Amino acid sequence: MPSKRGFKKRVKTQIYSLERRGHMLSPRRLFGTNGIRGVVNKELTSEMAIKIGSSVGTFFKHGTLIVGHDARTSSPMLTKAVIAGLNAVGCNILFVGMVPTPTLQYAIKNHKLDGGVIITASHNPPEYNGIKVIWNDGIELSRDQEIAIENIFFDEKMRYVKWNEIGTIRDLFGVVDDYVEAIKKHVNVERITKKHYRVVIDAANSVGNLATPYLLRDLGCKVITINGNIDGTFPGRLPEPRVENLTELASTVKAIDADLGVAYDGDADRSVFVDENGEIYWGDKTFALVEKYFLKDNPDEKIVTPVSSSTLVKDIADAYNGEIVWTKVGSVTVSQTMKKMKTKLGGEENGGIFYGPHQSVRDGAMATALVLNIMAKTNKKLSQLIGELPKYFIEKGKVECPENLKEKALEKLAEQMKGFNISTIDGVKVWFKDRSAILIRPSGTEPIYRLYAEAKNEQKAKQLVNKYSLKLEKLIDSVKG
Ligand code: MG
């Protein structure tokens, strides 16, 4: 049995190792951009999970929380640890088992509960896991709320209760059915059903298989799943829905003559679509499509999206009387901005679509229903619908920069670009008059800047990356002194 002192020391070491990987920015930080993440049994252990559970429970002042988890091998273990910690400070638990993250988020709102916790590492590789904490509106906690939990954790301010006040654990059934029914209210079920679409789903052997196939069955679709068996080792593909992980989905759609393919990440909040020809579209394109048909029905609405999104999203807003609200990169920021500004639609380039009338969080099943709704309404194939959007060429690059110089060099760059249309909300984004753009962002995990350029032709996009890579290298040299 390790001494209390030994335990404290070990927790501290684990936290510092998380910091090195960029998941934590300071020794008193637990939460990264999307919950608490780490490699299981190295950076995120059961011991830590108990303590995190008690800190979260103390923050919620002993309320009733929903707890669920994804399909990872470590998820049941960490879930039990988090629940033990929550119970120890008097929180009552409604346990929903294995569910997509957006299903749990919807259940919190639907059952009017105090909040919830989901054990998931979303798109990270199988050896990772994580803990996302959700507020009573179904949205992940704000940074201020996370800080409150971090203070409880690091100052050991957990309020443990007496033996007769320990929280209860009850199962909560039916959350997937409630979630599916809620999504159906936002689309024309009859019109989609009449089309008898053939849809291939690739949910990466994870929780996306637990809801969308049944939603699509209710929408009259013939559903074919690949990687449909639940397996936390992710034997079919890695849980991040990147183009290189989706070749099997693309070829299956083509081979069986399906109308649509859709891939989800490990907790099914992000969705990436494949058209009937097997072409895979990155998130900005499907988001722009959803945005276009949303603005046609809801002109003058504000659309929330991070500065990493393509100018395509702005083009659509300009063409259909919408207004873009640019934010920092990160799904929680998009959700929190939507909440604060009372807006109805948000989206990210990585496949996150936030449909406020359902819930202001990214939701893979809701996004799939919206895409089918547009296809049915317009009587067009996905390739046609995407083909009608403005076209951009994307080019990426990176420049090495020591951590301690990142901020200084970026400040200098922003100064130099003052005469241009720029945003410094997250890195430096510059929009040029010919509708090309470049975003320069320091990586949160590596000593590099990442450059994302886009333009109306490939050559211009490449030129932008080259020009700004050289500019940055010179700036880094100049701030070295
Ligand atoms: Mg996710």
Side-chain angles (χ1 to χ4, degrees):
M1 183 79 182
S3 66
K4 196 177 171 196
R5 202 185 154 137
F7 171 70
K8 262 190 185 173
K9 198 176 165 194
R10 202 161 52 250
V11 167
K12 210 169 174 190
T13 314
Q14 285 153 359
I15 290 159
Y16 279 113
S17 68
L18 272 169
E19 184 193 0
R20 276 201 304 276
R21 285 180 161 267
H23 290 271
M24 293 186 181
L25 303 178
S26 77
R28 281 180 67 88
R29 191 146 183 190
L30 278 173
F31 290 86
T33 50
N34 223 312
I36 298 164
R37 295 275 171 91
V39 173
V40 176
N41 281 352
K42 285 191 176 159
E43 298 158 337
L44 184 57
T45 65
S46 303
E47 288 162 317
M48 276 177 79
I50 294 173
K51 198 176 160 190
I52 290 167
S54 293
S55 306
V56 169
T58 302
F59 168 78
F60 274 99
K61 299 193 171 62
H62 326 304
T64 300
L65 305 184
I66 294 189
V67 177
H69 59 84
D70 72 9
R72 288 166 193 272
T73 54
S74 58
S75 287
M77 171 185 91
L78 290 173
T79 301
K80 286 188 164 73
V82 169
I83 291 177
L86 286 163
N87 280 163
V89 294
C91 280
N92 294 320
I93 303 306
L94 294 175
F95 181 58
V96 294
M98 204 185 285
V99 288
T101 295
T103 303
L104 183 135
Q105 290 172 300
Y106 180 76
I108 293 168
K109 231 174 46 157
N110 191 33
H111 289 274
K112 299 188 171 53
L113 295 170
D114 299 304
V117 178
I118 187 150
I119 314 305
T120 177
S122 186
H123 64 276
N124 289 141
E127 63 272 26
Y128 282 79
N129 215 329
I131 300 169
K132 286 187 188 182
V133 186
I134 323 278
W135 190 236
N136 61 14
D137 52 10
I139 299 175
E140 283 174 63
L141 300 189
S142 67
R143 183 65 203 131
D144 286 346
Q145 291 171 316
E146 288 175 355
I147 290 169
I149 292 173
E150 286 164 350
N151 288 340
I152 296 166
F153 181 93
F154 291 107
D155 296 338
E156 310 258 346
K157 290 277 168 48
M158 292 76 82
R159 281 193 231 125
Y160 296 107
V161 296
K162 288 190 287 187
W163 67 272
N164 56 354
E165 291 168 349
I166 286 167
T168 56
I169 309 170
R170 281 192 292 136
D171 289 326
L172 178 63
F173 297 106
V175 292
V176 172
D177 291 337
D178 292 343
Y179 169 70
V180 165
E181 288 306 315
I183 291 173
K184 281 157 62 182
K185 286 184 190 140
H186 299 285
V187 293
N188 189 329
V189 176
E190 207 186 320
R191 193 158 57 195
I192 300 172
T193 302
K194 280 184 186 157
K195 297 288 184 185
H196 305 295
Y197 288 124
R198 284 162 72 85
V199 185
V200 186
I201 295 176
D202 178 357
N205 302 102
S206 194
V207 292
N209 289 304
L210 302 177
T212 323
Y214 305 101
L215 166 69
L216 297 196
R217 182 188 63 187
D218 286 3
L219 296 177
C221 299
K222 161 96 175 147
V223 180
I224 300 102
T225 52
I226 61 169
N227 304 319
N229 53 316
I230 300 287
D231 187 335
T233 63
F234 299 100
R237 66 163 169 89
L238 285 172
E240 176 144 36
R242 299 188 65 80
V243 172
E244 58 268 30
N245 296 334
L246 305 182
T247 48
E248 196 187 356
L249 172 64
S251 56
T252 306
V253 169
K254 234 180 134 184
I256 66 164
D257 217 11
D259 299 287
L260 185 71
V262 57
Y264 302 109
D265 71 327
D267 65 337
D269 56 357
R270 283 165 57 190
S271 46
V272 169
F273 292 87
V274 176
D275 74 14
E276 74 287 357
N277 302 317
E279 176 116 3
I280 304 164
Y281 298 113
W282 200 228
D284 335 51
K285 288 195 178 169
T286 19
F287 174 46
L289 176 66
V290 171
E291 180 195 7
K292 176 176 167 180
Y293 287 91
F294 171 79
L295 284 174
K296 276 188 172 194
D297 294 336
N298 306 275
D300 305 320
E301 283 285 341
K302 289 189 171 71
I303 308 294
V304 180
T305 196
V307 281
S308 52
S309 289
S310 165
T311 306
L312 171 59
V313 175
K314 170 92 166 75
D315 290 349
I316 296 295
D318 291 347
Y320 297 94
N321 299 317
E323 191 189 323
I324 296 290
V325 178
W326 298 105
T327 68
K328 274 178 186 286
V329 176
S331 67
V332 184
T333 310
V334 174
S335 288
Q336 294 289 351
T337 308
M338 286 177 71
K339 178 176 155 183
K340 208 188 292 169
M341 298 184 76
K342 295 189 172 61
T343 67
K344 292 185 189 144
L345 186 69
E348 300 173 302
E349 49 78 43
N350 62 12
I353 292 181
F354 309 61
Y355 188 63
H358 169 56
Q359 52 178 352
S360 299
V361 296
R362 53 189 186 185
D363 186 323
M366 185 71 242
T368 309
L370 289 171
V371 169
L372 287 169
N373 202 40
I374 295 167
M375 287 168 62
K377 185 180 182 180
T378 57
N379 209 15
K380 288 179 180 173
K381 293 178 182 303
L382 185 63
S383 65
Q384 281 175 278
L385 290 162
I386 299 282
E388 288 167 2
L389 300 172
K391 280 182 190 47
Y392 283 91
F393 291 85
I394 312 274
E395 196 64 33
K396 294 180 183 178
K398 54 184 175 184
V399 170
E400 285 183 19
C401 178
E403 287 294 338
N404 60 335
L405 300 179
K406 272 181 176 175
E407 211 172 307
K408 232 176 174 183
L410 215 57
E411 269 172 28
K412 279 219 159 185
L413 177 69
E415 240 168 64
Q416 284 189 6
M417 302 306 295
K418 253 183 184 163
F420 291 84
N421 180 13
I422 71 164
S423 166
T424 52
I425 198 163
D426 196 346
V428 173
K429 174 116 186 193
V430 191
W431 290 277
F432 302 99
K433 281 191 178 137
D434 64 357
R435 305 205 75 78
S436 61
I438 188 155
L439 171 67
I440 296 134
R441 276 187 80 222
S443 161
T445 52
E446 293 171 72
I448 56 168
Y449 286 109
R450 293 188 190 281
L451 291 82
Y452 310 84
E454 61 173 342
K456 286 291 189 186
N457 65 69
E458 203 177 348
Q459 203 192 351
K460 175 75 200 246
K462 279 186 179 159
Q463 275 172 2
L464 275 174
V465 167
N466 291 339
K467 182 177 167 184
Y468 281 85
S469 297
L470 286 172
K471 207 183 213 345
L472 261 180
E473 279 164 11
K474 275 189 194 162
L475 279 173
I476 295 163
D477 275 345
S478 75
V479 293
K480 265 181 194 162

